[in-house]
Amino acid sequence: GQKETHEFTFYFGTNKFYQLQSYNQDFEVMVPLGWGIFRWVNRYAVIPLFNFLNSFVGSYGIIILLLTIIIKLVLFPLTYKSYMSTAKMKVLKPEIDEINKKFPDREDAMKKQQAIMGLYKRAGVSPMGGCLPTLLQLPFLIALFTFFPSSFELRQQSFLWAADLSSYDSILSLPFTIPFYGDHVSLFCLLMAIANIIYVIIGDQAAMSSTSMPGMKTMMYLMPVMMLFIFNDYASGLSYYYFLSLLITIGQTLIFRQFVDDNSIHAEIQANKAKPIKKSNFQKRLEEATKKRGLNK
């Protein structure tokens, strides 16, 4: 029997980030932009840049192209460091192979690892030097993975053969369904997979052919195939972005190869070996403690 009155607020409109934010700061969570650092990258970097480009560029395909170029320029120092680290590992590979031959048995695994780490230290090379720059680029890759499918601006926006950049760009409908792939062929996704294979082929083989990571080479060639299956149903704008990003990375790798000389890297490594190894304060204290223990015994 009692009458109750409830007040509701309804919003009927586009799911645009800044438009929702202008009504209520809490409304912005309605746009799925990822969690944690990936949402921050989208909120404070990708979306402002995307809207800035949108203010004077009419084609969203061109906007994605410019967005890709700007992001690659920002990440260029990390890409260069990653390449240089891989190039140094390639130069050191013959010496690492000699260490592997010297300690072939599993019982000598600890000695082999110590010898390899000692070589890295004398040469001034960090085995994580190529991984860290790549890891620092991951937030952008994953953030854009969530940005393109949730960007309202891309809905029903065409570019080249893609009728809708927020959906897949089917160029061929299959008379059957392939498990995990679908019943159509997305061209941007296919181009992305081909570019990825080309990048793996021209990429430095030193890390992949290392005996310490025997399955790395197979995994690197398997990744483009996995991405072909994963991205076939995703937004064509995302596949287009990854395709452009891979093309630019391939171009950067070819340019690096022209200007980075293996002989100069080898000479730098040999010069580092000739320098006395600087010991950290922790290492010094550890050695002193070890000597004291030996004297006490």
Side-chain angles (χ1 to χ4, degrees):
Q2 291 184 351
K3 291 183 179 180
E4 295 184 5
T5 303
H6 299 276
E7 293 184 359
F8 296 90
T9 301
F10 292 91
Y11 168 76
F12 298 94
T14 56
N15 198 24
K16 291 183 178 180
F17 182 82
Y18 285 129
Q19 189 168 331
L20 288 168
Q21 191 185 63
S22 66
Y23 291 116
N24 190 313
Q25 194 75 19
D26 296 331
F27 284 3
E28 67 179 51
V29 298
M30 295 170 62
V31 183
L33 296 175
W35 53 271
I37 188 173
F38 310 121
R39 186 173 184 86
W40 299 340
V41 170
N42 278 324
R43 191 187 188 288
Y44 297 108
V46 177
I47 291 178
L49 180 58
F50 185 85
N51 280 272
F52 169 73
L53 295 173
N54 192 21
S55 64
F56 60 88
V57 179
S59 171
Y60 282 93
I62 302 300
I63 290 174
I64 294 174
L65 171 62
L66 295 174
L67 180 73
T68 310
I69 293 172
I70 293 171
I71 291 175
K72 294 300 289 184
L73 285 173
V74 171
L75 298 177
F76 177 80
L78 296 174
T79 307
Y80 180 73
K81 285 185 178 180
S82 180
Y83 178 86
M84 288 301 297
S85 178
T86 308
K88 290 177 181 179
M89 294 292 290
K90 178 183 175 183
V91 171
L92 281 176
K93 191 174 183 303
E95 297 182 52
I96 294 174
D97 290 339
E98 288 297 322
I99 294 174
N100 289 329
K101 290 177 183 178
K102 187 177 179 181
F103 303 102
D105 300 327
R106 289 186 178 181
E107 290 77 9
D108 297 330
M110 184 62 71
K111 293 181 180 178
K112 179 172 70 174
Q113 191 64 26
Q114 288 176 346
I116 291 174
M117 294 307 294
L119 173 64
Y120 289 153
K121 192 170 185 179
R122 293 195 307 275
V125 176
S126 171
M128 295 296 292
C131 298
L132 279 175
T134 305
L135 288 174
L136 291 173
Q137 297 179 56
L138 275 179
F140 285 90
L141 294 174
I142 299 176
L144 289 162
F145 182 83
T146 58
F147 168 74
F148 283 103
S150 61
S151 177
F152 187 88
E153 288 81 358
L154 295 179
R155 295 187 185 183
Q156 299 179 357
Q157 296 294 329
S158 62
F159 180 68
L160 298 178
W161 58 83
D164 186 350
L165 287 171
S166 67
S167 182
Y168 55 80
D169 54 318
S170 176
I171 60 163
L172 178 64
S173 295
L174 303 175
F176 50 85
T177 300
I178 301 175
F180 305 107
Y181 181 74
D183 59 356
H184 63 273
V185 177
S186 298
L187 185 52
F188 273 131
C189 178
L190 185 62
L191 291 173
M192 176 196 65
I194 294 171
N196 208 344
I197 292 172
I198 294 171
Y199 173 66
V200 172
I201 292 173
I202 71 165
D204 203 324
Q205 302 294 313
M208 290 188 290
S209 59
S210 174
T211 54
S212 61
M213 304 177 74
M216 188 64 177
K217 187 173 183 178
T218 304
M219 189 62 188
M220 291 299 290
Y221 280 98
L222 189 61
M223 280 299 295
V225 179
M226 293 172 60
M227 292 180 72
L228 180 66
F229 279 76
I230 294 171
F231 285 86
N232 192 56
D233 283 330
Y234 258 72
S236 55
L238 178 64
S239 299
Y240 172 52
Y241 166 78
Y242 281 151
F243 170 61
L244 292 174
S245 180
L246 282 165
L247 285 183
I248 295 173
T249 304
I250 290 170
Q252 288 175 334
T253 303
L254 294 175
I255 293 172
F256 291 156
R257 285 188 172 183
Q258 292 296 319
F259 291 95
V260 176
D261 184 22
D262 287 350
N263 294 326
S264 62
I265 293 176
H266 185 266
E268 180 186 344
I269 288 175
Q270 297 306 317
N272 289 336
K273 286 182 181 180
K275 296 177 182 177
I277 300 174
K278 293 182 179 180
K279 297 180 181 179
S280 64
N281 293 329
F282 175 76
Q283 286 177 311
K284 290 177 181 178
R285 289 196 297 269
L286 188 63
E287 289 179 0
E288 289 175 2
T290 305
K291 288 179 181 178
K292 287 179 181 178
R293 271 199 222 101
L295 291 172
N296 292 334
K297 287 180 181 179

